[in-house]
Amino acid sequence: MAATTLTGPFLDALRPMERELQQAVSQAEPEKAIEIATKIQALFGNDRTHHRLLKAKLWAYEACVDANRLNYAESGLVGIRRLAGRSTRLHLEASALLAVSLLRQKKAAEAKKIIREVIENINNITSDRTRHQFQRRFIERVEEECILAEMIGVDDGVLKPAEIESKAILLLQHNSDEEILKLIGNSVPTAGILLLKDVRNYSLNLLPAPDRKLLPPPAKAEEPKNIGRTTFALLRRIAWKTFCKPSSPIYKLWSQRIPKVFNDGYFSAAVIATLGEYRIGLPLIASGLAALAMKYSAEEFCELAKPKGLMIARNDKEI
């Protein structure tokens, strides 16, 4: 069935809400995203299958995945996959987000099947630039989520702010970035590295040969330094809302370059808050994240850490 043609007045009402929705997602505000998507649904009345409505819901579900509201996101993403045509980009994006949600819930067998489906259908994106952009983001996200999934619930000790802070300062004083990344990599649970290897063997090797060459060889990918680099990427992504919200205590001081931010435990507090949300009790990883974050200005870190969505807007040119 052809999609209903949207008229001028309808689009005049819809477009501002779509922009507001994307802004809510970019600012890690899932409740606001859900609220706006609900208003957009009301605008469409009884039409539950229009691609603009499904896309709005998909933005909201991405915000929920990023906020770790996984049960809500999973049920919604399954619904999007059921309503969107299998050859559409909507179906592909919903599948990618569903794979992330499943990995994070430690449903590895289900996740691998969805990852394989995404890889096999990635050519449904006709734009070369957008396809390569999506492919790179998806692969990076899958690798990060494999590690994150096996860090969730791991408890190697209580995260004590003073100890995290003092260890971070020692790392800053005596270790290079590469050495800190290696320390983080060596602290990742073995199960995370094994899951990453399993998912690579099962799914990512389905990539066309030219694209597969862009991935590091398995031996290099599993080196502690590279595991650490992937882990730091996922940690700063999940830490972004704690470190970088304008209203957060650390950002208020850090962005103004006030020395107190480095002396009064703000970095260790922000790290503990981030890891606590995911029930991650890994003190060395906590200290490594705090140490690396301290090396940046607030602007640099927050630009680097800002999550890159699997939902790619037309004006999103960043790889």
Side-chain angles (χ1 to χ4, degrees):
M1 183 184 295
T4 304
T5 301
L6 305 181
T7 62
F10 190 98
L11 290 171
D12 289 342
L14 175 62
R15 285 171 178 150
M17 286 195 280
E18 289 177 328
R19 288 192 293 269
E20 191 180 359
L21 173 58
Q22 291 183 33
Q23 180 69 13
V25 176
S26 72
Q27 294 301 315
E29 296 177 339
E31 295 298 341
K32 186 175 181 181
I34 293 168
E35 179 185 340
I36 299 166
T38 302
K39 290 179 181 177
I40 290 174
Q41 179 168 296
L43 199 63
F44 278 89
N46 293 325
D47 185 351
R48 292 290 186 265
T49 60
H50 197 282
H51 67 94
R52 293 283 279 267
L53 172 58
L54 295 181
K55 194 169 190 68
K57 289 184 173 182
L58 204 46
W59 280 108
Y61 294 138
E62 179 164 47
C64 291
V65 170
D66 289 343
N68 219 29
R69 293 185 54 177
L70 301 177
N71 290 333
Y72 181 86
E74 181 182 344
S75 63
L77 292 166
V78 168
I80 296 287
R81 276 167 48 89
R82 187 170 60 248
L83 293 171
R86 287 187 63 83
S87 63
T88 63
R89 182 169 155 186
L90 274 171
H91 192 279
L92 190 70
E93 290 171 334
S95 299
L97 288 167
L98 180 59
V100 168
S101 178
L102 291 169
L103 274 175
R104 190 136 2 127
Q105 294 176 82
K106 302 181 187 287
K107 299 177 180 178
E110 295 174 60
K112 287 195 300 182
K113 293 175 183 176
I114 302 295
I115 293 166
R116 187 182 186 101
E117 182 182 322
V118 171
I119 297 294
E120 289 175 339
N121 290 284
I122 212 158
N123 285 333
N124 289 345
I125 301 177
T126 55
S127 161
D128 287 342
R129 183 191 65 79
T130 306
R131 184 172 63 255
H132 292 148
Q133 188 182 27
F134 175 85
Q135 178 177 290
R136 179 168 178 172
R137 287 191 190 182
F138 179 63
I139 290 168
E140 288 176 351
R141 185 65 177 270
V142 164
E143 294 189 340
E144 291 173 16
E145 293 290 341
C146 286
I147 293 172
L148 177 58
E150 297 301 336
M151 289 201 301
I152 291 171
V154 174
D155 184 0
D156 279 358
V158 177
L159 300 183
K160 299 178 180 178
E163 292 180 7
I164 300 300
E165 191 87 357
S166 62
K167 178 65 175 176
I169 291 169
L170 283 173
L171 289 172
L172 279 171
Q173 292 172 337
H174 301 291
N175 299 89
S176 67
D177 289 12
E178 297 288 290
E179 288 169 334
I180 297 173
L181 289 172
K182 186 175 180 181
L183 171 76
I184 291 173
N186 280 324
S187 303
V188 168
T190 303
I193 299 169
L194 292 175
L195 178 60
L196 174 56
K197 184 176 181 180
D198 182 28
V199 169
R200 272 177 169 268
N201 289 339
Y202 182 84
S203 305
L204 300 186
N205 285 334
L206 292 170
L207 287 166
D211 296 330
R212 208 160 53 241
K213 288 178 182 177
L214 300 176
L215 296 171
K220 277 195 169 295
E222 293 165 27
E223 289 178 357
K225 181 179 67 176
N226 289 323
I227 293 294
R229 186 171 284 111
T230 299
T231 305
F232 179 49
L234 79 87
L235 290 173
R236 66 184 185 237
R237 172 169 54 79
I238 65 174
W240 180 84
K241 67 178 180 180
T242 303
F243 278 78
C244 301
K245 281 271 193 169
S247 59
S248 71
I250 186 172
Y251 187 80
K252 288 177 181 178
L253 297 174
W254 195 16
S255 61
Q256 298 298 315
R257 297 174 172 81
I258 296 173
K260 178 181 178 182
V261 75
F262 296 102
N263 303 324
D264 287 4
Y266 282 88
F267 281 90
S268 60
V271 167
I272 289 169
T274 296
L275 300 186
E277 191 173 332
Y278 289 83
R279 297 179 292 107
I280 298 172
L282 293 164
L284 283 178
I285 283 181
S287 295
L289 172 57
L292 290 172
M294 287 182 193
K295 288 175 173 279
Y296 294 91
S297 69
E299 293 77 10
E300 291 168 338
F301 180 85
C302 293
E303 181 61 30
L304 182 67
K306 191 169 180 61
K308 297 176 184 177
L310 291 173
M311 296 279 295
I312 301 174
R314 290 182 182 276
N315 61 353
D316 184 351
K317 305 299 182 186
E318 188 177 353
I319 296 296

